[in-house]
């Protein structure tokens, strides 16, 4: 029974990391270029991408729950001596960093950026609109950097998990 639980746990972790890493790669490599090459303007494309990233953020939160369940389950199995699947310190630290960054993006930066974007799109005056866009892009830059760092941490976590599986 412990082996089945471990297999389910590993599959859920892989699914979660696939969503975490692959979701952002699809948004950046396929969706963003398609939106700005297809939609009729910056406003409609920007609003669409804001909604797309809100959906991705929700998926990441769900993936984070799966990763936490997986890591705690494997740690419990290991402590009980039911499976040789110890959780490394690297895993704990990387996952903690990923969850912290995801929380900052989802609950702090993205809502602020979305509000600034809406303000910029609602502004019709040239100088007011320009100032609103400058404020949006000023906040949006660290948001983008954190997204990329979080995907990088996801790759690190995946590599750490792969290394532990190959070592068996």
């Amino acid at each position: 029974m412990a082996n089945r639980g471990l297999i389910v746990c590993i599959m859920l972790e892989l699914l979660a990391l696939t969503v975490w890493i692959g979701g952002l790669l699809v948004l950046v490599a396929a969706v963003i270029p398609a939106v700005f090459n297809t939609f009729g303007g910056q406003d409609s494309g920007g609003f669409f991408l804001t909604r797309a990233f809100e959906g991705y953020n929700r998926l990441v939160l769900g993936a984070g729950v799966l990763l936490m369940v997986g890591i705690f389950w494997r740690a419990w199995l290991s402590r009980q001596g039911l499976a040789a699947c110890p959780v490394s310190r690297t895993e704990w630290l990387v996952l903690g960093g990923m969850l912290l960054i995801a929380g900052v993006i989802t609950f702090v930066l993205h809502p602020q950026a979305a509000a600034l974007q809406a303000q910029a799109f609602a502004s019709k005056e040239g100088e007011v609109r320009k100032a609103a866009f400058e404020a949006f892009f000023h906040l949006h830059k660290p948001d983008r950097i954190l997204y990329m760092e979080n995907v990088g941490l996801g790759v690190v976590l995946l590599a750490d998990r792969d290394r532990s599986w190959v070592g068996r």
Side-chain angles (χ1 to χ4, degrees):
M1 184 66 174
N3 283 339
R4 280 192 194 148
L6 182 59
I7 290 169
V8 168
C9 173
I10 290 170
M11 293 304 298
L12 289 175
E13 288 181 70
L14 284 175
L15 175 63
L17 285 169
T18 299
V19 167
W20 197 296
I21 298 166
L24 188 64
L25 294 178
V26 167
L27 280 172
V28 170
V31 175
I32 292 173
V35 165
F36 285 120
N37 289 323
T38 305
F39 280 58
Q42 183 178 4
D43 292 11
S44 58
F47 277 131
F48 177 85
L49 288 173
T50 296
R51 298 299 173 255
F53 274 91
E54 287 170 357
Y56 171 74
N57 291 342
R58 284 189 299 274
L59 288 172
V60 162
L61 292 177
V65 168
L66 289 178
L67 289 168
M68 289 300 296
V69 167
I71 202 169
F72 281 116
W73 179 254
R74 284 188 297 110
W76 183 83
L77 288 173
S78 181
R79 284 194 181 103
Q80 299 300 316
L82 299 173
C85 56
V87 179
S88 72
R89 180 176 298 234
T90 302
E91 273 188 271
W92 287 110
L93 292 173
V94 171
L95 182 56
M98 290 168 63
L99 294 171
L100 178 65
I101 290 171
V104 168
I105 291 170
T106 302
F107 300 115
V108 179
L109 293 177
H110 186 81
Q112 289 176 2
L116 288 171
Q117 179 191 49
Q119 181 183 0
F121 290 155
S123 301
K124 300 302 176 197
E125 294 181 35
E127 287 302 314
V128 172
R129 185 174 172 93
K130 182 180 175 183
F133 269 117
E134 285 177 6
F136 166 73
F137 285 116
H138 182 72
L139 180 65
H140 189 55
K141 185 176 182 178
D143 199 24
R144 290 186 311 217
I145 291 168
L146 287 175
Y147 273 116
M148 299 315 284
E149 286 178 358
N150 220 3
V151 164
L153 287 173
V155 171
V156 168
L157 185 61
L158 182 60
D160 187 69
R161 294 295 302 127
D162 287 346
R163 188 175 62 238
S164 71
W165 297 327
V166 172
R168 288 189 200 158

